[in-house]
Every structure is written in structure tokens, then in C-alpha cells.
Amino acid sequence: TDGHKHSHTRVDRRRRVMSMASRLSGAAGQAVVPSSAAARPTLGVSQRRAGASGATLGAKRSQFSSSSSSSPPRVVTASAAQGAGGKPLFVASVNSKTGSSSSGAGKQSGGGAAGMKENKDKVVFDPSMKVDKEAAKAIYIDMLRGRNFEDMCAQMYYRGKMFGFVHLYNGQEAVSTGVIGAMRGDDYVCSTYRDHVHAVSKGVPMGKVMAELFGKKDGICRGQGGSMHMFSAEHNFLGGFAFIGEGIPVGAGAAFQARYRRDVLGDESADQVCASFFGDGTCNNGAFYETLNMASLYKLPCLFVVENNKWAIGMAHDRATAPSMGDTEPYIYKKGPAFGMPGVLVDGMDVMAVRKVAEEAIARARRGDGPTLIECETYRYRGHSLADPDELRKPEEKEFYAKRDPIPKFRAFMLKEGLATEKEVKEWEKQVDDEVEEAVEYADASERPGKEQLLENVFADPSGFGISADGGSQSPNFP
């Protein structure tokens, strides 16, 4: 419980951590990227009960290797409109058919992701996509920070340091890094309940995020928000939202005020863009369609980023969403043209492809051409939450996406292109590992909020309700 203090050193934490065996078989393991030679063991979700009771299980470690990164996928041609500087912006064609090339994994009934046919509109890795050394370093470190932070969250959750539902982002890092990394610091980001990594990518200090997860006073919301309600006005991070679809109109509101300040009030500095992240399940929610309509009507500087990980909790995407006319698979990006905006499908397991699409959509929004709907085809490597035993997804589907892990793939790309040396990469991995450890120490050392915080922002004058300033009762009978 939280009453027990950490007395172990960093090395000791690695040795004593409760390593949970993964339900992912073989190469479909948690695909955790070790951040140093002394890699932390991975926590799975299948034995959460044993972990919660303190059982010690064998550590499972997954090392980087060149074999974990397959050769770059072929370039898929898409219909295009002009983006910034004459670059192509890949846009959905409303009557386009799904492609004929198979992924090779076989059709998965009731899940479908691994066997879905390749769509000819999808933006994938292109060897012509270039990045300099500094940008490559920033990309790799940001993805690794997200992965290692979430792995540590799993460890702390099973130790009883976190409570309630905790939804981890493992596997989807290329989306957060690819989109937020292409934005400016004064741009806005609106998240979902799977918000830890979005906050970290946006620049929120890792220690503040971890302290919030611990329910501590030094947390980003002083311990009152928890896992699903991260918020930082300082970083223009508009929050995580527990209910799906809540954040989409909020993000449009941020975009609206930026355009209003610029067009009506004459503020030339108001050219901020807002990226709203949400999942495939949210796209059957009314708020999604209403906001697409309004954003298109007013040409709001919005990016609607769908993190389509193929599962809405335990509901497979192809069982919940109807395909567009002429298609056999349900594509979300094709809903964009119906509202007068580009719809883009991108390989969400490749950070370079996501970054390319994001840069073009951001440029479009900033110059006043309106919103873009981006569907990122991605996958989460853990269950819906740490309370989910993850028994519904098939092993073949998990293995298919585990082989496409964006972090080792980008690591191999950097080394191959001479963007970094093995020594440099290992130094970065150690730096990230140290940062995550320090975040835990910061959160652990933070105090719990006092009970007087319970009434802040609730009552203007708590004394009128018989409540004292410290949150207690003013009645002598109830001290």
C-alpha cells in the first residue's frame, strides 16, 4: 500500500519489481523497448491478481535487434490535393475501393485488424521522407519516454501506488510523437482517458504526471484529476476526458478562439492549431459529427486525430462501425469529405509517415484552409486498461502488430541512415530510464493533498454550508 515507503535504490527497483507474464505469445509479447543494458522487466496484464498480491514472477526482457525492424513497406500511391509548399496532401476519395494486396496475416473474424487488406489511400513510410539528426533524436527520445513511462505506470499500479482505471498507451507512441512533435509549443492538444503520453509529449514534466497518477499534491492537477484527467493551462494541454467524445468540441473551441482573435480582433499572433485525439469507438458518437460540421463550416484550425487501435474496449472496430458505400472495411477517414475536409489514412505504427501527414495538416490549418481528419491505424500492446485481462484479441493479431513496433523500427532506421550511433542511442536510452526513475521518486516524495482541497472550486463560501476552511465541520458535535 501507499503507507510503505520506497527504500530501494534504482537498481534494486529493477530487481524487485513485480514482472507480470504477458498474454502475448512469442513475438507478440509486450514488445517493451529496454532503455538501457539493465532493462526494466515488463509487466503484463494477464496475472494482475498475482501482481497485486505481491507475487514475484520471472522477468521478461525484450531487446532491440535489427531483426525486429522489417524492411520499409512499399509506397502506396494515394489521391492527392495540394498541401503546404505544393506537397501532396493525401485525401480520401469517397468512392475508393479497398486495395487488393493482403497483409499476409489472414482475416480475423471479430477483430479483423491483422487480416485487413491494404488500402491504396494509406500513407506509409517513404524513403524520400527525410529527417535531420536533431529531429531524429527528439523523435526517438519522445517515443521512448512514452513507452518507458507507461511501463513504469504498470509497475506502480500493481504495487498499489495508483488506483482506479489506468489506460496505457504502449504501441501507439508514433501517433503522439508524430503529431505533437510537429506542433508548436503554443498550439493546443486535447486528449482522451489514455492521456499520459500526450501530456508528456506536450512538454508536461514527467514527475508532475506521475505525481498526479499517485494522487499527490505536486501532481499536475494537485492529485485531484488522476489518470484520466490530466490538464495543464501552462502547456496548452486541454485535458484528458473520461467520457469519449468530450474533448472533441473542447478542442474545436480552442481552435475557434484562435481564429476569432485573429480574424475579428486583429491579433496576428493568434495562428494556433488544436489537435484533438480520440479513438475509433468515439467516431460513432454524436459529438464527433457535430464538431466536424462546425469545424468545417468555420474553417477552424483543427486536426481530428483518430487513434484507430481496432478495439473500443472489447468491441472490434469492424463489428461496431459500418463501412462506407463500396467498401468492405470501415474506414473513418472517409467521413472527412462528407463534411468538406480532407480525410487522411496513415500508418500509425510509423512515426515518419504520421509526422509527414501532421505537418501538412498543421500547415493547412494555420494558413486558414480549415480542419483535417486523420485516421492513424495503430495498435495498443496492452489491454484496454490495467484491469483488462486482454482475452478477446487473437494471438495472430497481436503478433502482426508486435512486429510493427514503431520504436525499434525507428531505432534501426536511425542507425541505418547514420542519424545516430549505437553508443549515442544507448546514452539516450539511459537518460530516459533515469528520467522515469526520477519521476517515480518525485511522485513518491510528494505529500498527499489536504482535505481542504476537496471544497476548492466547489463552493464560493464553504462556511455557508457549515464547513470550516480546512474542510471539516463547523459544528461542535462533529469536530
Side-chain angles (χ1 to χ4, degrees):
T1 65
D2 194 67
H4 296 288
K5 299 290 184 181
H6 280 317
S7 60
H8 53 276
T9 63
R10 293 181 181 180
V11 175
D12 193 34
R13 179 182 286 124
R14 295 189 186 104
R15 291 173 179 167
R16 295 172 53 192
V17 71
M18 297 171 293
S19 175
M20 313 301 291
S22 169
R23 282 191 182 273
L24 304 183
S25 61
Q30 291 292 350
V32 172
V33 179
S35 50
S36 68
R40 269 195 312 277
T42 305
L43 292 180
V45 296
S46 60
Q47 297 180 342
R48 64 198 185 286
R49 297 182 181 85
S53 65
T56 302
L57 301 173
K60 178 178 179 181
R61 303 189 179 192
S62 173
Q63 298 294 334
F64 277 129
S65 67
S66 58
S67 62
S68 64
S69 178
S70 57
S71 58
R74 66 183 181 87
V75 180
V76 180
T77 304
S79 54
Q82 288 302 104
K87 294 181 180 179
L89 181 65
F90 296 83
V91 182
S93 174
V94 176
N95 62 352
S96 66
K97 306 282 186 177
T98 53
S100 60
S101 60
S102 173
S103 67
K107 177 68 178 176
Q108 303 285 320
S109 60
M116 189 175 289
K117 292 180 179 179
E118 189 70 274
N119 185 294
K120 68 182 179 63
D121 285 346
K122 185 163 70 174
V123 181
V124 298
F125 177 79
D126 183 336
S128 68
M129 298 175 184
K130 301 298 181 183
V131 62
D132 60 35
K133 289 187 176 183
E134 285 303 310
K137 175 182 177 181
I139 289 171
Y140 182 69
I141 287 177
D142 191 63
M143 286 198 294
L144 195 60
R145 290 173 83 230
R147 178 70 60 87
N148 287 9
F149 183 87
E150 296 292 71
D151 287 339
M152 183 59 80
C153 285
Q155 296 177 15
M156 296 299 105
Y157 178 87
Y158 290 118
R159 287 188 173 200
K161 293 288 182 178
M162 300 175 189
F163 306 93
F165 288 101
V166 176
H167 308 83
L168 301 186
Y169 198 75
N170 299 55
Q172 301 180 201
E173 295 87 357
V175 179
S176 180
T177 298
V179 174
I180 299 177
M183 302 177 79
R184 293 194 322 226
D186 63 339
D187 286 332
Y188 297 90
V189 167
C190 214
S191 186
T192 66
Y193 49 77
R194 205 177 299 276
D195 57 354
H196 315 158
V197 176
H198 292 153
V200 171
S201 289
K202 194 63 175 70
V204 179
M206 198 179 282
K208 291 283 188 181
V209 178
M210 187 66 77
E212 186 62 35
L213 287 160
F214 278 32
K216 297 296 189 70
K217 192 172 184 178
D218 291 326
I220 192 173
C221 295
R222 300 187 302 161
Q224 291 180 262
S227 173
M228 295 186 278
H229 298 283
M230 301 288 171
F231 175 87
S232 175
E234 176 187 353
H235 299 89
N236 283 355
F237 185 71
L238 302 179
F241 294 86
F243 288 94
I244 64 169
E246 279 186 309
I248 302 177
V250 172
F256 179 88
Q257 63 84 26
R259 175 145 198 213
Y260 185 88
R261 282 165 46 215
R262 186 178 181 88
D263 293 355
V264 179
L265 303 181
D267 183 355
E268 292 298 322
S269 67
D271 63 344
Q272 292 83 9
V273 170
C274 182
S276 295
F277 294 84
F278 47 95
D280 48 286
T282 300
C283 296
N284 295 321
N285 187 297
F288 168 66
Y289 295 99
E290 293 173 28
T291 308
L292 287 186
N293 179 68
M294 185 176 187
S296 184
L297 181 65
Y298 294 126
K299 290 191 178 297
L300 299 183
C302 293
L303 274 66
F304 297 103
V305 185
V306 186
E307 298 185 288
N308 186 356
N309 59 28
K310 305 300 179 185
W311 290 85
I313 309 181
M315 175 59 72
H317 177 52
D318 59 357
R319 293 185 62 196
T321 302
S324 299
M325 185 173 290
D327 285 336
T328 58
E329 304 288 350
Y331 292 110
I332 298 168
Y333 76 106
K334 291 190 176 183
K335 302 179 189 298
F339 289 92
M341 70 180 71
V344 188
L345 178 65
V346 61
D347 179 3
M349 304 299 282
D350 190 289
V351 69
M352 293 289 284
V354 176
R355 183 182 177 91
K356 175 183 173 61
V357 168
E359 287 176 343
E360 295 175 357
I362 290 167
R364 168 185 160 82
R366 216 181 292 284
R367 66 174 178 261
D369 290 345
T372 302
L373 175 62
I374 304 172
E375 180 180 359
C376 300
E377 189 179 273
T378 185
Y379 203 71
R380 52 172 164 80
Y381 289 156
R382 294 181 181 268
H384 173 69
S385 75
L386 287 175
D388 177 10
D390 195 16
E391 296 175 334
L392 297 175
R393 301 186 297 175
K394 295 186 177 182
E396 310 93 275
E397 179 182 304
K398 297 176 185 180
E399 183 175 357
F400 174 75
Y401 283 102
K403 290 177 179 178
R404 296 172 60 190
D405 191 326
I407 299 179
K409 181 163 66 174
F410 189 73
R411 187 185 197 275
F413 169 78
M414 286 194 302
L415 295 176
K416 179 182 178 181
E417 297 296 321
L419 297 170
T421 65
E422 184 71 29
K423 180 181 178 182
E424 288 174 327
V425 172
K426 288 183 177 179
E427 288 175 353
W428 302 340
E429 291 165 1
K430 185 180 185 305
Q431 290 170 10
V432 172
D433 191 55
D434 290 344
E435 185 182 7
V436 173
E437 298 283 357
E438 288 166 4
V440 172
E441 292 167 3
Y442 176 87
D444 215 32
S446 176
E447 296 180 358
R448 286 204 171 278
K451 61 181 180 179
E452 65 274 7
Q453 267 190 224
L454 290 173
L455 301 175
E456 290 184 13
N457 307 314
V458 177
F459 300 118
D461 181 14
S463 64
F465 294 84
I467 301 169
S468 62
D470 65 356
S473 173
Q474 290 181 332
S475 171
N477 298 320
F478 298 95

